[in-house]
Amino acid sequence: MTARELTTGAAINEALAIAMRSDPDVIVLGEDVAGGGDRSKAGVEEMGGVLGTTRGLVGEFGMARVRDTPISEMGLLGTAVGAAASGLRPVAELMFMDFLGTSLDPLLNQAAKLRYMFGGKVRVPLTVRTVSGAGMRAAAQHSQSLYWITTGIPGLKTVVPSTPADAKGLLLAAIRDDDPVIFCEAKGILNQTGEVPEGDYEVPLGKAALLREGSDVSLIAFGATVSVAQQAADALAGEGIHADLLDLRSLSPLDEEAILRTLEKTGRVVVVDEATPRCGIASDVAALCVDRGFDFLNAPVKRVTAPHTPVPFSAVLEDAFMPSAQRVLDAVAELG
Amino acid sequence: MDFSRESSIEIYRRMRTIRGFEDKLQELVAAGRIGGFLHLYAGEEAVAVGVCAQLRETDLVGSTHRGHGHCIAKGVDVKGMMAELFGRATGTCRGKGGSMHIADMDCGMLGANGIVGGGIPLVTGAALTAQIKQSGAVAVGFFGDGATNQGQFHESLNMASNWKLPALYVCENNGFGEFTPTEFVVPVRDIADRAASYGMHALIADGMDFFDVYEKAAVAIERARRGDGPTLLECKTYRFYGHYVGDPTPYRDKEEAEQWIQNRDPLELFEARVRESGVVSGDDLREVDGEVERLLRAAVEEAEQAPQPDPEADLTSDVYVSYPT
């Protein structure tokens, strides 16, 4: 398979088109996903979503399968759940993950629970794409990383890719998965470019990726914090400290064995998560290390996260809010 | 409208089964033989049976916390339902759903729903599936007057009307949202008035009169099937028991309740009408009463003897279709 340089957004767009071509049951619905105009009229410019990620789909697949919804997050997600339970394979877009606030019931009480409550008699092959995280000066209500909420709900799967290639492969896997999957597109990676293979391929859910190998310390990251951890690992290498860098890719299912393997190898773990610290993924990984990997630990598990605050608007404050390579280096230094 | 002897008996059997099922549950709870949160449908039988008598097996129905009637009307196996209420492995949902979550996709039952209004967007989604797949199916959502104060109701009706989905939204207006009289919390005279906000067709039926519900559902379903979009059908009804089993109903006017129960019982109204028309006799219907009673007794006996779920195997199964560990 040949590869080209694409942004994460373009890789996601490609995955959606491939999924729609290969399965007529795949539909895309959400606010402005088709374009915010009447596609049947020539010359109406197509927006393809607020960040343009779905641009071009309505032209190829038509307005029945690429559907602009009203600004009704609860209604559109609930409709997507009902469509999934009755025979379609919808990809719903929740424009920003913060809008979980206006839409949680269909995910929390419906999508996540139908199969269990029905004694296994239904499948809910729903994918919810949503943009998460800080970094666009979008302030407190458009910048949150709330995957810790969906990860904590049994019945949902949650995926957070860190590269364009993974975004494409994980999204294809998510759409074809028979369970509801929350697919988080971290703002920090949407405009990043990387090599993306052409054609149809899947990256399996629940498999972490070991991005670099070293035996001194384990840096565990996902989504936008992978590049932060990469920068830290580069700096550490300059000092002769070699880091394992594990990209979780999927938070539920979580590749626990990969976490324990890197811990066993290095005995030192720093988890980097751009979300707030309480009840979060960093804490979850730290608990796993202590619970199942205590004998391998040579130092406390360090968590590098955002502070327990809303996301600020000011560029200076937002930059301070987000985990930085320096903070990762500080955490590694504390391990001794 | 003329009904044959067979269909009259079948309609009566459905309504009698719902009433008998609910009366039986009331006894079982009082005797401490089953637990859980139960909301009984007695009094509202004409709505579920009147609407579902117009449906095909492939049509989908979404229901509420007061869902036993919709399940029975749509054809869910009564013995499986009873076993479910006993929490047994042989239950419709293998003991994992309980009263508020009985579902059976095999007969188009998209589930009772413990969240007030939560089933409405699911039905909207099922109607979207029918429209996109051009299956010819219709999706029907039942909900109470209380659910029409939820955002999910308004968001769903707005989308469904805009997209002309093949859906029917049936509001069972029983006069109370939990304990609060509807007029305390609903500023419009009829729930059906709310359809105007969405440019949606609306109808009002006497929810105690099977024939009125049946005829109005026919109009709405016909519209939906031919692509003319959804209807909000308000059925004025009354719940004979309280909000939940054990609700002492101090909030309701005793005389008003008596009026409904004594004079507006949907089973009695149906019986009077079909006996008057001469298609069935009182004996025919008493025979059905006996058959239903025997079925329900057998359902309880079998449920009580059915195996419990196995915590080893069943507690953590069916959360996901697949989940690597």
Side-chain angles (χ1 to χ4, degrees):
Chain A
M1 246 184 295
T2 53
R4 319 100 320 144
E5 286 276 317
L6 290 180
T7 63
T8 303
I12 289 167
N13 181 282
E14 196 167 274
L16 289 167
I18 290 170
M20 294 189 81
R21 264 174 229 138
S22 64
D23 182 352
D25 288 341
V26 175
I27 64 163
V28 168
L29 76 168
E31 293 154 9
D32 307 317
V33 293
D38 184 350
R39 303 267 66 75
S40 62
K41 287 186 187 141
V44 175
E45 196 181 338
E46 182 180 329
M47 291 289 289
V50 71
L51 300 176
T53 316
T54 50
R55 193 169 292 152
L57 296 177
V58 69
E60 181 172 355
F61 302 104
M63 290 178 78
R65 289 177 69 199
V66 183
R67 221 171 252 250
D68 282 335
T69 67
I71 302 173
S72 303
E73 286 88 14
M74 186 162 47
L76 88 87
L77 286 192
T79 297
V81 175
S86 58
L88 290 176
R89 198 169 279 279
V91 184
E93 180 176 309
L94 183 63
M95 192 182 287
F96 291 100
M97 197 169 204
D98 312 72
F99 304 165
L100 272 182
T102 53
S103 65
L104 194 54
D105 185 68
L107 298 179
L108 170 68
N109 286 315
Q110 313 298 338
K113 295 179 172 61
L114 291 186
R115 182 170 178 79
Y116 192 78
M117 294 191 304
F118 295 5
K121 284 194 199 160
V122 71
R123 291 172 184 228
V124 185
L126 165 70
T127 302
V128 178
R129 292 179 40 245
T130 189
V131 173
S132 64
M136 279 190 184
R137 316 306 184 210
Q141 296 171 339
H142 289 71
S143 301
Q144 296 170 86
S145 296
L146 299 174
Y147 37 67
W148 51 277
I149 295 178
T150 57
T151 300
I153 299 172
L156 300 181
K157 294 175 177 173
T158 300
V159 180
V160 190
S162 71
T163 66
D166 275 1
K168 179 178 168 184
L170 283 167
L171 182 56
L172 278 162
I175 293 170
R176 291 161 181 168
D177 194 90
D178 281 338
D179 294 309
V181 182
I182 313 302
F183 184 89
C184 299
E185 302 168 6
K187 290 192 193 72
I189 70 153
L190 269 176
N191 290 322
Q192 273 182 20
T193 56
E195 291 228 323
V196 178
E198 285 181 348
D200 190 340
Y201 66 94
E202 295 177 22
V203 173
L205 309 185
K207 285 273 171 255
L210 192 60
L211 299 184
R212 61 197 283 166
E213 298 204 44
S215 53
D216 299 325
V217 63
S218 299
L219 304 181
I220 300 179
F222 57 95
T225 61
V226 170
S227 64
V228 173
Q230 285 278 23
Q231 291 164 35
D234 286 342
L236 288 169
E239 299 170 24
I241 300 171
H242 300 287
D244 245 13
L245 172 52
L246 188 69
D247 175 4
L248 294 176
R249 299 202 284 200
S250 167
L251 304 180
S252 175
L254 180 67
D255 193 344
E256 298 189 358
E257 298 313 315
I259 294 168
L260 294 169
R261 268 197 306 276
T262 184
L263 166 58
E264 182 174 4
K265 185 167 149 193
T266 69
R268 290 177 170 78
V269 170
V270 175
V271 195
V272 195
D273 176 3
E274 68 166 321
T276 48
R278 299 297 313 280
C279 306
I281 304 305
S283 299
D284 201 44
V285 170
L288 172 76
C289 291
V290 173
D291 185 9
R292 290 185 58 201
F294 190 77
D295 291 345
F296 306 133
L297 280 169
N298 294 325
V301 179
K302 288 287 169 191
R303 296 170 300 157
V304 176
T305 68
H308 186 62
T309 67
V311 183
F313 166 65
S314 144
V316 171
L317 294 179
E318 189 183 34
D319 290 347
F321 173 92
M322 292 160 70
S324 63
Q326 187 56 51
R327 287 182 55 211
V328 176
L329 293 174
D330 293 346
V332 171
E334 282 179 42
L335 296 177
Chain B
M1 178 183 315
D2 287 327
F3 262 62
S4 69
R5 179 168 185 278
E6 289 70 27
S7 42
S8 298
I9 287 176
E10 186 47 36
I11 296 298
Y12 180 78
R13 184 189 306 283
R14 290 259 156 129
M15 292 206 286
R16 173 54 65 196
T17 305
I18 296 170
R19 178 67 56 84
F21 193 85
E22 303 297 60
D23 289 346
K24 193 68 82 190
L25 294 183
Q26 172 78 22
E27 287 168 27
L28 289 167
V29 171
R33 288 160 77 188
I34 57 171
F37 287 11
L38 293 177
H39 308 84
L40 302 184
Y41 195 72
E44 306 185 12
E45 292 89 347
V47 182
V49 176
V51 172
C52 290
Q54 294 285 5
L55 298 180
R56 303 170 185 163
E57 201 171 12
T58 47
D59 293 330
L60 278 154
V61 162
S63 170
T64 71
H65 57 288
R66 201 177 304 286
H68 306 155
H70 311 125
C71 292
I72 292 170
K74 192 68 174 66
V76 179
D77 174 53
V78 171
K79 288 184 170 177
M81 288 175 63
M82 189 62 83
E84 185 63 30
L85 291 163
F86 276 83
R88 302 305 162 118
T90 55
T92 318
C93 305
R94 301 166 66 189
K96 288 169 151 178
S99 168
M100 288 192 278
H101 308 299
I102 297 178
D104 190 349
M105 298 298 284
D106 292 341
C107 42
M109 181 64 205
L110 193 52
N113 209 304
I115 305 298
V116 171
I120 302 174
L122 303 187
V123 163
T124 307
L128 180 63
T129 299
Q131 185 184 66
I132 288 180
K133 287 179 169 274
Q134 301 181 326
S135 67
V138 165
V140 178
F142 292 96
F143 48 87
D145 43 281
T148 72
N149 294 324
Q150 288 276 35
Q152 307 213 44
F153 166 84
H154 296 277
E155 293 189 17
S156 293
L157 266 67
N158 185 55
M159 267 187 286
S161 183
N162 201 40
W163 292 344
K164 286 195 182 307
L165 294 183
L168 169 58
Y169 298 96
V170 182
C171 176
E172 302 176 317
N173 182 355
N174 61 24
F176 296 92
E178 300 191 354
F179 314 142
T180 302
T182 309
E183 66 264 26
F184 282 30
V185 288
V186 174
V188 288
R189 204 182 72 130
D190 296 306
I191 299 290
D193 293 345
R194 296 191 144 167
S197 300
Y198 312 112
M200 188 183 287
H201 182 236
L203 291 167
I204 297 176
D206 176 355
M208 309 312 261
D209 178 354
F210 166 84
F211 293 97
D212 196 39
V213 174
Y214 183 79
E215 283 164 24
K216 285 176 176 145
V219 172
I221 289 164
E222 167 60 25
R223 277 178 65 93
R225 279 205 215 284
R226 65 168 186 258
D228 288 346
T231 298
L232 173 61
L233 170 61
E234 178 185 3
C235 299
K236 310 266 192 194
T237 183
Y238 198 79
R239 54 174 202 227
F240 284 6
Y241 294 108
H243 170 52
Y244 58 93
V245 175
D247 171 8
T249 68
Y251 51 85
R252 81 181 184 187
D253 184 291
K254 281 190 176 48
E255 272 179 35
E256 185 189 68
E258 274 306 294
Q259 273 288 78
W260 282 95
I261 294 167
Q262 294 306 318
N263 303 329
R264 302 283 296 139
D265 185 324
L267 274 75
E268 288 176 10
L269 294 176
F270 180 84
E271 176 167 344
R273 170 90 174 258
V274 291
R275 283 177 65 177
E276 195 182 324
S277 73
V279 289
V280 292
S281 68
D283 287 349
D284 290 333
L285 301 181
R286 298 295 78 76
E287 201 178 312
V288 173
D289 292 347
E291 286 165 6
V292 168
E293 179 56 25
R294 283 192 292 283
L295 169 70
L296 292 171
R297 268 193 212 156
V300 171
E301 273 169 34
E302 288 173 27
E304 273 185 319
Q305 284 160 19
Q308 297 280 2
D310 172 13
E312 274 303 295
D314 299 330
L315 175 63
T316 57
S317 65
D318 292 329
V319 180
Y320 297 94
V321 177
S322 64
Y323 200 72
T325 51

